[in-house]
Short mmCIF file of all heavy atoms in Angstrom, two decimals:
data_model
loop_
_atom_site.label_atom_id
_atom_site.label_comp_id
_atom_site.label_asym_id
_atom_site.label_seq_id
_atom_site.Cartn_x
_atom_site.Cartn_y
_atom_site.Cartn_z
N PHE A 1180 -28.82 -5.59 -5.92
CA PHE A 1180 -28.23 -4.45 -5.21
C PHE A 1180 -27.36 -3.55 -6.09
O PHE A 1180 -27.03 -2.43 -5.70
CB PHE A 1180 -27.37 -4.94 -4.03
CG PHE A 1180 -28.13 -5.72 -3.00
CD1 PHE A 1180 -28.12 -7.11 -3.03
CD2 PHE A 1180 -28.85 -5.09 -2.00
CE1 PHE A 1180 -28.81 -7.85 -2.08
CE2 PHE A 1180 -29.54 -5.82 -1.05
CZ PHE A 1180 -29.52 -7.21 -1.09
N GLY A 1181 -26.94 -4.05 -7.26
CA GLY A 1181 -26.01 -3.29 -8.08
C GLY A 1181 -26.66 -2.15 -8.84
O GLY A 1181 -27.89 -2.08 -8.98
N ASN A 1182 -25.81 -1.26 -9.34
CA ASN A 1182 -26.32 -0.15 -10.15
C ASN A 1182 -26.43 -0.60 -11.61
O ASN A 1182 -26.03 -1.71 -11.98
CB ASN A 1182 -25.43 1.08 -10.02
CG ASN A 1182 -23.98 0.82 -10.39
OD1 ASN A 1182 -23.69 0.17 -11.40
ND2 ASN A 1182 -23.04 1.34 -9.59
N GLU A 1183 -26.98 0.25 -12.45
CA GLU A 1183 -27.23 -0.14 -13.83
C GLU A 1183 -25.94 -0.45 -14.59
O GLU A 1183 -25.91 -1.35 -15.43
CB GLU A 1183 -28.02 0.96 -14.56
CG GLU A 1183 -29.44 1.12 -14.05
CD GLU A 1183 -30.23 -0.18 -14.10
OE1 GLU A 1183 -30.16 -0.87 -15.16
OE2 GLU A 1183 -30.89 -0.52 -13.10
N THR A 1184 -24.88 0.29 -14.32
CA THR A 1184 -23.61 0.01 -14.99
C THR A 1184 -23.09 -1.37 -14.61
O THR A 1184 -22.62 -2.13 -15.48
CB THR A 1184 -22.57 1.08 -14.62
OG1 THR A 1184 -23.04 2.36 -15.06
CG2 THR A 1184 -21.22 0.78 -15.26
N GLN A 1185 -23.17 -1.71 -13.34
CA GLN A 1185 -22.72 -3.04 -12.90
C GLN A 1185 -23.56 -4.15 -13.53
O GLN A 1185 -23.03 -5.18 -13.93
CB GLN A 1185 -22.78 -3.11 -11.38
CG GLN A 1185 -21.74 -2.23 -10.70
CD GLN A 1185 -21.97 -2.08 -9.21
OE1 GLN A 1185 -23.07 -2.38 -8.69
NE2 GLN A 1185 -20.97 -1.60 -8.49
N LYS A 1186 -24.85 -3.93 -13.66
CA LYS A 1186 -25.71 -4.94 -14.30
C LYS A 1186 -25.33 -5.12 -15.76
O LYS A 1186 -25.20 -6.25 -16.25
CB LYS A 1186 -27.18 -4.53 -14.16
CG LYS A 1186 -27.71 -4.51 -12.73
CD LYS A 1186 -29.13 -3.96 -12.69
CE LYS A 1186 -29.60 -3.78 -11.26
NZ LYS A 1186 -30.96 -3.17 -11.19
N ARG A 1187 -25.15 -4.01 -16.47
CA ARG A 1187 -24.80 -4.11 -17.89
C ARG A 1187 -23.44 -4.76 -18.08
O ARG A 1187 -23.23 -5.52 -19.03
CB ARG A 1187 -24.79 -2.71 -18.53
CG ARG A 1187 -26.17 -2.11 -18.76
CD ARG A 1187 -26.06 -0.91 -19.71
NE ARG A 1187 -25.12 0.08 -19.23
CZ ARG A 1187 -25.43 1.10 -18.43
NH1 ARG A 1187 -26.70 1.25 -18.02
NH2 ARG A 1187 -24.51 1.97 -18.04
N THR A 1188 -22.53 -4.49 -17.18
CA THR A 1188 -21.16 -4.99 -17.31
C THR A 1188 -21.05 -6.48 -17.01
O THR A 1188 -20.35 -7.21 -17.71
CB THR A 1188 -20.22 -4.20 -16.39
OG1 THR A 1188 -20.26 -2.82 -16.73
CG2 THR A 1188 -18.78 -4.71 -16.51
N HIS A 1189 -21.74 -6.94 -15.98
CA HIS A 1189 -21.46 -8.27 -15.44
C HIS A 1189 -22.50 -9.35 -15.72
O HIS A 1189 -22.15 -10.54 -15.82
CB HIS A 1189 -21.25 -8.18 -13.93
CG HIS A 1189 -20.11 -7.31 -13.53
ND1 HIS A 1189 -18.79 -7.61 -13.84
CD2 HIS A 1189 -20.07 -6.13 -12.84
CE1 HIS A 1189 -18.01 -6.66 -13.36
NE2 HIS A 1189 -18.74 -5.76 -12.76
N LEU A 1190 -23.77 -9.01 -15.83
CA LEU A 1190 -24.79 -10.06 -15.89
C LEU A 1190 -24.70 -10.90 -17.17
O LEU A 1190 -24.83 -12.13 -17.12
CB LEU A 1190 -26.19 -9.44 -15.74
CG LEU A 1190 -26.48 -8.80 -14.38
CD1 LEU A 1190 -27.94 -8.32 -14.33
CD2 LEU A 1190 -26.20 -9.78 -13.23
N GLY A 1191 -24.49 -10.26 -18.32
CA GLY A 1191 -24.38 -11.01 -19.56
C GLY A 1191 -23.22 -12.00 -19.55
O GLY A 1191 -23.41 -13.19 -19.85
N PRO A 1192 -22.00 -11.55 -19.21
CA PRO A 1192 -20.88 -12.49 -19.14
C PRO A 1192 -21.09 -13.62 -18.14
O PRO A 1192 -20.60 -14.74 -18.37
CB PRO A 1192 -19.71 -11.59 -18.73
CG PRO A 1192 -20.08 -10.24 -19.28
CD PRO A 1192 -21.56 -10.14 -19.11
N ILE A 1193 -21.80 -13.36 -17.04
CA ILE A 1193 -22.07 -14.44 -16.08
C ILE A 1193 -22.99 -15.48 -16.72
O ILE A 1193 -22.74 -16.69 -16.64
CB ILE A 1193 -22.70 -13.88 -14.80
CG1 ILE A 1193 -21.67 -13.07 -14.00
CG2 ILE A 1193 -23.27 -15.00 -13.93
CD1 ILE A 1193 -22.24 -12.34 -12.80
N ARG A 1194 -24.05 -15.03 -17.36
CA ARG A 1194 -25.00 -15.96 -18.00
C ARG A 1194 -24.30 -16.80 -19.06
O ARG A 1194 -24.58 -17.99 -19.22
CB ARG A 1194 -26.16 -15.21 -18.65
CG ARG A 1194 -27.18 -14.62 -17.71
CD ARG A 1194 -28.46 -14.28 -18.47
NE ARG A 1194 -28.21 -13.59 -19.73
CZ ARG A 1194 -28.13 -12.28 -19.87
NH1 ARG A 1194 -28.29 -11.48 -18.81
NH2 ARG A 1194 -27.91 -11.73 -21.05
N ARG A 1195 -23.39 -16.19 -19.81
CA ARG A 1195 -22.72 -16.88 -20.92
C ARG A 1195 -21.46 -17.62 -20.49
O ARG A 1195 -20.74 -18.17 -21.31
CB ARG A 1195 -22.39 -15.86 -22.02
CG ARG A 1195 -23.62 -15.22 -22.65
CD ARG A 1195 -23.24 -14.35 -23.84
NE ARG A 1195 -22.42 -13.19 -23.45
CZ ARG A 1195 -22.91 -12.00 -23.11
NH1 ARG A 1195 -24.23 -11.80 -23.08
NH2 ARG A 1195 -22.10 -11.00 -22.80
N SER A 1196 -21.17 -17.64 -19.20
CA SER A 1196 -19.98 -18.30 -18.65
C SER A 1196 -18.70 -17.79 -19.29
O SER A 1196 -17.76 -18.55 -19.55
CB SER A 1196 -20.08 -19.82 -18.83
OG SER A 1196 -21.15 -20.35 -18.08
N GLU A 1197 -18.66 -16.49 -19.54
CA GLU A 1197 -17.46 -15.87 -20.09
C GLU A 1197 -16.47 -15.46 -19.02
O GLU A 1197 -15.29 -15.27 -19.31
CB GLU A 1197 -17.86 -14.65 -20.93
CG GLU A 1197 -18.68 -15.00 -22.15
CD GLU A 1197 -19.24 -13.79 -22.87
OE1 GLU A 1197 -19.11 -12.66 -22.34
OE2 GLU A 1197 -19.83 -13.97 -23.95
N ILE A 1198 -16.96 -15.31 -17.80
CA ILE A 1198 -16.13 -14.89 -16.67
C ILE A 1198 -16.29 -15.91 -15.55
O ILE A 1198 -17.41 -16.29 -15.20
CB ILE A 1198 -16.54 -13.50 -16.15
CG1 ILE A 1198 -16.39 -12.46 -17.26
CG2 ILE A 1198 -15.71 -13.11 -14.94
CD1 ILE A 1198 -14.97 -12.23 -17.73
N TRP A 1199 -15.17 -16.36 -14.98
CA TRP A 1199 -15.20 -17.28 -13.84
C TRP A 1199 -15.00 -16.47 -12.57
O TRP A 1199 -14.02 -15.76 -12.42
CB TRP A 1199 -14.10 -18.33 -13.98
CG TRP A 1199 -14.20 -19.44 -12.98
CD1 TRP A 1199 -13.95 -19.36 -11.64
CD2 TRP A 1199 -14.61 -20.79 -13.23
NE1 TRP A 1199 -14.16 -20.57 -11.04
CE2 TRP A 1199 -14.57 -21.47 -12.01
CE3 TRP A 1199 -14.99 -21.48 -14.37
CZ2 TRP A 1199 -14.90 -22.82 -11.88
CZ3 TRP A 1199 -15.32 -22.82 -14.25
CH2 TRP A 1199 -15.27 -23.48 -13.02
N TRP A 1200 -15.93 -16.60 -11.65
CA TRP A 1200 -15.89 -15.84 -10.40
C TRP A 1200 -15.44 -16.71 -9.23
O TRP A 1200 -15.71 -17.91 -9.19
CB TRP A 1200 -17.27 -15.27 -10.07
CG TRP A 1200 -17.67 -14.12 -10.92
CD1 TRP A 1200 -18.24 -14.16 -12.16
CD2 TRP A 1200 -17.52 -12.73 -10.61
NE1 TRP A 1200 -18.46 -12.89 -12.64
CE2 TRP A 1200 -18.03 -11.99 -11.70
CE3 TRP A 1200 -17.02 -12.03 -9.51
CZ2 TRP A 1200 -18.05 -10.60 -11.73
CZ3 TRP A 1200 -17.03 -10.64 -9.52
CH2 TRP A 1200 -17.54 -9.94 -10.63
N ALA A 1201 -14.76 -16.08 -8.28
CA ALA A 1201 -14.42 -16.71 -7.01
C ALA A 1201 -15.12 -15.94 -5.89
O ALA A 1201 -15.46 -14.76 -6.05
CB ALA A 1201 -12.91 -16.71 -6.79
N GLN A 1202 -15.31 -16.61 -4.76
CA GLN A 1202 -16.01 -16.02 -3.62
C GLN A 1202 -15.02 -15.74 -2.49
O GLN A 1202 -14.48 -16.67 -1.90
CB GLN A 1202 -17.10 -16.96 -3.12
CG GLN A 1202 -17.85 -16.46 -1.90
CD GLN A 1202 -18.89 -17.46 -1.42
OE1 GLN A 1202 -18.92 -18.60 -1.85
NE2 GLN A 1202 -19.76 -17.02 -0.53
N GLY A 1203 -14.76 -14.48 -2.20
CA GLY A 1203 -13.80 -14.11 -1.17
C GLY A 1203 -14.46 -13.79 0.16
O GLY A 1203 -14.56 -12.61 0.53
N TYR A 1204 -14.90 -14.82 0.85
CA TYR A 1204 -15.55 -14.63 2.15
C TYR A 1204 -14.65 -15.04 3.31
O TYR A 1204 -14.22 -14.24 4.10
CB TYR A 1204 -16.86 -15.44 2.19
CG TYR A 1204 -18.09 -14.70 1.69
CD1 TYR A 1204 -18.00 -13.69 0.74
CD2 TYR A 1204 -19.36 -15.05 2.15
CE1 TYR A 1204 -19.13 -13.03 0.28
CE2 TYR A 1204 -20.50 -14.39 1.69
CZ TYR A 1204 -20.38 -13.39 0.76
OH TYR A 1204 -21.50 -12.74 0.31
N SER A 1205 -14.35 -16.33 3.41
CA SER A 1205 -13.65 -16.86 4.59
C SER A 1205 -12.24 -16.31 4.73
O SER A 1205 -11.55 -16.03 3.74
CB SER A 1205 -13.59 -18.39 4.51
OG SER A 1205 -14.88 -18.95 4.58
#
């Protein structure tokens, strides 16, 4: 769903475990 800038910015660091994400749902 993301735009190209979001893909370039976030996908690489996620794959390489450079950024730890939290899920803000509940």
Side-chain angles (χ1 to χ4, degrees):
F1180 299 97
N1182 57 44
E1183 292 305 314
T1184 299
Q1185 291 168 344
K1186 295 174 187 177
R1187 286 195 304 271
T1188 301
H1189 299 295
L1190 294 184
I1193 290 173
R1194 287 197 314 270
R1195 297 187 295 270
S1196 296
E1197 295 172 353
I1198 300 295
W1199 189 288
W1200 286 83
Q1202 178 182 12
Y1204 271 28
S1205 295

